[in-house]
Amino acid sequence: MFSKVINFQLGLIFQKGLGCSGNIIGSGIFISPKGVLEHAGSVGLSLIVWMLGGGICTLGSMCYAELGVTIPKSGGDYSYVTEIFGGLVGFLLLWSAVLIMYPTTLAVIALTFSNYVLQPAFQNCLPPYIATRLLATICILFLTWVNCSSVRWATRIQDVFTVGKLLALALIIVVGLVQICRGHYDALRPSVAFEFSGDPSVGQIALAFLQASFAYSGWNFLNYVTEEVVEPRKNLPRAIYISIPLVTLVYTMTNIAYFSSMTPEELLASNAVAVTFGEKLLGIFSWVMPISVALSTFGGINGYLFTSSRLCFSGAREGHLPYLLAMIHLKNCTPIPALLVCCIATIIILCIGETHNLINYVSFINYLSYGVTIAGLLYLRKKRPHLHRPIKVNMLIPISYLIFWAVLLCFSLYSEPVVCGLGMVIMLTGVPVYFIGVHWKNKPKWIYRVVERVTYMGQKLCFVVFPQEDPSETEPLTASKVND
């Protein structure tokens, strides 16, 4: 049993390493360009948003690098906020991640997968609503089954399908550069690029940044495995200075390539931008583009499923979520209960949301958590000024980030009060849950009996146990263990 647990932990480390390198350049670049252009109102301003978005991520990453070596715990935002502000704030981040961030991100990527698969069959219209939801649900269910069955299978899928992502982006950029060399760049001329479709407002620009931030999400994933990073004092900054400028360049060049062959009106009318791009420029090879993007999004769903289930697993291990979610399958050593929770939450969101609204929804909550975490850096500087900090960034960096963060969230909330406000309401529902489920220690005995019964049924249904060497820990949860 102990050797299986070791294999499980090694699998987690390896999978997280893939997430750090692969989830920044992800399927978001095939989703967000339409939303960025729609809210920016012009080609030129949308390209500026893409470039500034990378710069903002760099500032945030530098702050996270300091936190990562000052509080050397895996778990990212959740671990830092819990350490700095206490259990309630940490729980609220965990609560919003489990109910909002990861399920919504998974839903958006799954919908993109189904749109790109179905779009070639519906060239003159949008794919049917039911068809996209059904295919997205089938994809989520299949990958949940894969992750429940084997860590090795999940890792191999991530390896193989990352190729599709890189192939699609390389093809788009190369073909776009060829178009520009041939003189096809009318939409990129300064006199045309800054022609606005309407009067630009700060609120709409803030929403454009939210759309772009969805594509950049993943820049903080390295902090989820700080304990496993070799020489983090050197390698964290190195990863930031190499990866984020490279990602920013790739994203900007991809958008320039789109505008080398499509007018802004054509891009806004497209439900699958890369497919439209391929149909206009690749001729008989246009089939390569939907297949490449489908492979990319398929791998993205797999990576986020594993990451989200790992967060559930960590939260349950810390006592912030039901203990059943901290259990793994007896033979496969996979966190089946945590995976099922992520799967169910994603399918529910799939049925009630539209892609671009969901992006605003999840990006707002993401930025909220980033800001709280970086505010924690400033609070820790004041509270414990003599704490050893192998990396110490200039104070202007977190202050600049927080100023941008406050302006972005305020104007986003003003422009989309329902979408953004709903995320805040769901986050705040975690307050009573925390005080009842976590903070309240001396609960009536009947509550412990109910928890014991549900946990025991979950163990039997999923065939899961605690990942401990001690055989006594594999027994069903008892009231005394809960009380401890």
Side-chain angles (χ1 to χ4, degrees):
M1 178 63 189
F2 184 66
S3 63
K4 291 182 179 179
V5 173
I6 292 297
N7 290 334
F8 170 66
Q9 297 294 344
L10 289 174
L12 292 177
I13 293 169
F14 184 56
Q15 181 69 26
K16 284 291 190 177
L18 289 173
C20 295
S21 60
N23 276 338
I24 300 180
I25 294 184
S27 51
I29 187 58
F30 305 116
I31 306 169
S32 297
K34 178 177 177 179
V36 173
L37 178 61
E38 181 180 355
H39 291 296
S42 74
V43 172
L45 186 54
S46 69
L47 292 177
I48 291 174
V49 167
W50 281 106
M51 289 186 285
L52 289 180
I56 296 301
C57 288
T58 302
L59 295 180
S61 296
M62 293 170 71
C63 298
Y64 270 64
E66 177 178 328
L67 287 169
V69 296
T70 305
I71 307 174
K73 293 182 179 180
S74 294
D77 313 59
Y78 169 62
S79 296
Y80 307 148
V81 169
T82 302
E83 178 77 17
I84 297 169
F85 294 121
L88 175 59
V89 182
F91 177 82
L92 290 179
L93 281 190
L94 177 67
W95 179 257
S96 60
V98 171
L99 291 185
I100 300 175
M101 294 183 203
Y102 283 111
T104 305
T105 302
L106 279 164
V108 170
I109 300 176
L111 287 173
T112 304
F113 167 81
S114 60
N115 279 325
Y116 272 91
V117 170
L118 295 173
Q119 189 64 43
F122 298 91
Q123 295 184 5
N124 299 320
C125 62
L126 296 178
Y129 179 91
I130 296 297
T132 56
R133 265 61 184 179
L134 182 61
L135 182 57
T137 301
I138 291 171
C139 178
I140 292 290
L141 290 173
F142 173 74
L143 287 174
T144 300
W145 172 76
V146 169
N147 278 272
C148 287
S149 300
S150 172
V151 173
R152 183 175 298 174
W153 290 3
T155 302
R156 287 179 178 174
I157 284 177
Q158 196 71 8
D159 288 342
V160 172
F161 285 88
T162 296
V163 176
K165 175 196 312 180
L166 301 177
L167 173 64
L169 288 175
L171 187 60
I172 289 171
I173 292 172
V174 170
V175 172
L177 290 175
V178 171
Q179 281 290 99
I180 291 173
C181 291
R182 291 177 176 176
H184 300 286
Y185 50 84
D186 291 341
L188 296 170
R189 297 180 186 274
S191 58
V192 178
F194 288 95
E195 289 183 355
F196 289 89
S197 56
D199 294 331
S201 66
V202 178
Q204 289 300 311
I205 295 173
L207 292 176
F209 272 102
L210 285 188
Q211 292 282 328
S213 71
F214 182 81
Y216 283 105
S217 62
W219 57 263
N220 62 328
F221 275 18
L222 193 61
N223 289 72
Y224 281 75
V225 286
T226 305
E227 294 174 31
E228 289 82 28
V229 174
V230 178
E231 296 188 44
R233 184 179 179 277
K234 294 182 179 179
N235 291 327
L236 276 174
R238 189 176 297 168
I240 293 167
Y241 299 142
I242 295 174
S243 63
I244 295 183
L246 179 62
V247 170
T248 304
L249 176 64
V250 169
Y251 282 2
T252 306
M253 292 302 298
T254 300
N255 279 273
I256 289 173
Y258 287 148
F259 293 120
S260 71
S261 62
M262 288 185 283
T263 65
E265 292 75 20
E266 287 176 324
L267 192 147
L268 290 173
S270 174
N271 196 47
V273 178
V275 170
T276 304
F277 178 88
E279 290 172 350
K280 291 178 70 70
L281 295 182
L282 298 181
I284 61 173
F285 295 103
S286 61
W287 55 269
V288 172
M289 196 56 63
I291 290 178
S292 297
V293 178
L295 293 176
S296 170
T297 50
F298 192 81
I301 295 167
N302 179 72
Y304 269 99
L305 259 178
F306 204 112
T307 305
S308 59
S309 64
R310 181 67 177 91
L311 184 61
C312 287
F313 178 87
S314 299
R317 194 171 53 185
E318 296 295 324
H320 282 173
L321 290 175
Y323 285 104
L324 180 62
L325 300 182
M327 297 184 185
I328 62 174
H329 192 269
L330 187 62
K331 294 182 179 179
N332 299 333
C333 296
T334 53
I336 291 179
L339 282 163
L340 292 178
V341 167
C342 298
C343 175
I344 293 169
T346 301
I347 292 173
I348 291 173
I349 292 175
L350 269 177
C351 300
I352 61 176
E354 186 272 330
T355 302
H356 291 289
N357 282 338
L358 288 176
I359 291 175
N360 287 338
Y361 175 62
V362 70
S363 297
F364 181 85
I365 297 300
N366 270 335
Y367 258 107
L368 192 59
S369 67
Y370 299 154
V372 171
T373 305
I374 292 175
L377 182 149
L378 295 179
Y379 180 76
L380 194 63
R381 286 272 190 100
K382 181 178 180 181
K383 182 182 176 182
R384 302 176 65 184
H386 302 296
L387 185 66
H388 177 61
R389 293 173 171 86
I391 298 174
K392 190 173 183 178
V393 299
N394 189 290
M395 286 289 286
L396 289 176
I397 293 176
I399 290 173
S400 300
Y401 185 93
L402 288 175
I403 291 172
F404 172 83
W405 169 81
V407 171
L408 178 72
L409 292 192
C410 288
F411 281 100
S412 299
L413 188 59
Y414 174 78
S415 300
E416 288 281 0
V418 176
V419 174
C420 298
L422 182 60
M424 292 189 67
V425 169
I426 294 177
M427 175 182 284
L428 293 176
T429 60
V431 174
V433 174
Y434 172 80
F435 282 106
I436 294 173
V438 179
H439 186 72
W440 184 19
K441 299 298 183 182
N442 299 317
K443 301 181 184 69
K445 291 184 178 180
W446 66 268
I447 294 181
Y448 291 123
R449 287 196 293 268
V450 171
V451 172
E452 178 184 355
R453 180 62 61 86
V454 171
T455 305
Y456 180 66
M457 290 175 60
Q459 285 187 264
K460 291 182 65 176
L461 182 65
C462 300
F463 200 51
V464 292
V465 295
F466 284 113
Q468 300 287 339
E469 181 182 11
D470 186 355
S472 65
E473 296 290 344
T474 63
E475 297 173 1
L477 190 68
T478 63
S480 62
K481 290 179 183 177
V482 177
N483 200 26
D484 292 338

